Amino acid sequence: MITGSIVALVTPMCPESCDVDWKALESLVEWHIEQGTHALVAVGTTGESATLSVKEHSQVIRATVEASKGRIPIIAGTGANCTREAIELTEAAKKAGADSCLLVTPYYNKPTQEGLYQHYKAIAESVDIDQILYNVPGRTACDLLPETVLRLSTIPNIVGIKEATGDLERAKFLIEHSPHDFAIYSGDDHSARQLMLLGGHGDISVTANVAPNLMSQMCKAALDADADKAQAIDQQLLPVHDAMFVESNPIPVKWAVNQLGLIEDAIRLPLTKLSEANQVKVIQALKSALLIK
């Protein structure tokens, strides 16, 4: 089981063209490994999956796997609102050597719970790779209910869920009622510490893009049931958790990673660069957390 601080990795892009910056991507993977990150998600929401072509999507997964050189697990974002496309992306991720896949609920078309079950079942039966469900109704207008998650948890290669609602009661229910080897990950940095202290298994994190070492330490402390240490680190990072969502993700986090000197300031339309007013807020948060001077 993959556990700990799992970075929902940004996808670096070149200025002007907004083509993928392959050299920066390789450097970013190396930096995260040095900083103690436990695993990486390539091409999730934070990686601008919605604006990459299928070809680019597969190339970023492969490049991330190759850069990691097997040192940490790579989870490939392969979700789509078309089941056939999700299968195609998941097959590409397996071929590229990803350790597992993260599949967001189908967005926009609002399937029923039975439709969600059949969607995930079809992908799992089509591609023999570990698969993690991803529920983020605030972005998808689609809520994967706990009862459906439990149905899906009996499928052998569906191995966990990224629960991004921030609802700790829901997380507690899933932890208590899912199989013991079914991973429950937070997809909400604000409540990740509490979820892990309840028995969850890690945090698929936006904040960890700019504070990988601190997030790694916090997750380890929470998983070790060291509540005081986990709380102290989480309190230090609270301003960053807030700042990463002053505009739609990944607008703030890409700008913040740029301020650390790790990537160029480039983001693909329809997303736009962080406004000047919110740049001030992000800088203040990074300084407050002692991430920059």
Side-chain angles (χ1 to χ4, degrees):
M1 182 187 292
I2 298 170
T3 61
S5 178
I6 304 164
V7 180
L9 193 65
V10 299
T11 299
M13 294 176 180
C14 302
E16 305 302 330
S17 69
C18 277
D19 291 335
V20 176
D21 187 338
W22 302 106
K23 185 176 180 180
L25 178 60
E26 183 178 355
S27 297
L28 206 54
V29 172
E30 195 66 36
W31 181 67
H32 277 290
I33 292 171
E34 291 170 358
Q35 290 291 310
T37 289
H38 300 121
L40 294 170
V41 172
V43 208
T45 305
T46 311
E48 293 176 80
S49 56
T51 62
L52 297 183
S53 69
V54 170
K55 181 180 179 181
E56 289 174 317
H57 199 122
S58 300
Q59 288 173 330
V60 172
I61 292 168
R62 181 174 294 278
T64 307
V65 169
E66 290 176 353
S68 73
K69 298 181 175 69
R71 290 171 290 173
I72 59 173
I74 303 301
I75 302 168
T78 60
N81 62 349
C82 167
T83 305
R84 291 184 179 187
E85 182 178 324
I87 290 171
E88 180 183 353
L89 289 169
T90 304
E91 287 174 338
K94 180 182 178 181
K95 188 175 180 180
D99 295 276
S100 61
C101 292
L102 179 68
L103 293 117
V104 71
T105 53
Y107 42 87
Y108 185 76
N109 43 11
K110 293 187 175 181
T112 64
Q113 293 301 304
E114 182 61 26
L116 288 169
Y117 175 80
Q118 294 296 339
H119 169 80
Y120 282 116
K121 180 173 180 285
I123 301 165
E125 290 178 346
S126 297
V127 191
D128 184 18
I129 188 173
D130 285 352
Q131 297 173 25
I132 300 166
L133 312 170
Y134 176 14
N135 189 40
V136 57
R139 291 193 75 124
T140 62
C142 174
D143 192 1
L144 183 64
L145 297 179
E147 294 76 15
T148 307
V149 175
L150 295 182
R151 284 182 72 194
L152 289 165
S153 71
T154 64
I155 297 173
N157 59 327
I158 295 181
V159 300
I161 182 170
K162 175 185 177 181
E163 180 54 64
T165 60
D167 183 341
L168 289 172
E169 285 301 314
R170 179 183 291 209
K172 186 171 183 284
F173 176 87
L174 290 172
I175 290 165
E176 291 175 349
H177 292 89
S178 60
H180 74 279
D181 56 352
F182 187 79
I184 311 296
Y185 302 110
S186 174
D188 173 63
D189 283 320
H190 282 92
S191 59
R193 169 178 57 89
Q194 296 99 310
L195 182 145
M196 287 182 282
L197 289 170
L198 286 171
H201 302 92
D203 179 23
I204 299 178
S205 171
V206 175
T207 295
N209 277 281
V210 292
N213 187 260
L214 285 172
M215 284 300 296
S216 176
Q217 291 182 53
M218 191 278 284
C219 289
K220 184 179 186 306
L223 292 171
D224 290 343
D226 188 343
D228 291 341
K229 181 177 180 180
Q231 182 176 11
I233 300 171
D234 201 25
Q235 191 66 32
Q236 179 181 347
L237 290 171
L238 184 58
V240 184
H241 297 336
D242 291 335
M244 292 304 96
F245 291 90
V246 291
E247 292 180 23
S248 297
N249 179 45
I251 293 172
V253 70
K254 285 200 87 175
W255 191 81
V257 177
N258 165 259
Q259 293 303 295
L260 298 181
L262 298 168
I263 63 172
E264 297 284 356
D265 184 16
I267 196 163
R268 203 174 269 191
L269 288 170
L271 301 177
T272 53
K273 294 181 182 180
L274 188 66
S275 67
E276 289 186 8
N278 284 325
Q279 287 176 16
V280 174
K281 295 177 183 178
V282 171
I283 286 291
Q284 289 173 340
L286 295 176
K287 287 182 177 178
S288 175
L290 305 178
L291 298 174
I292 61 173
K293 294 182 180 179

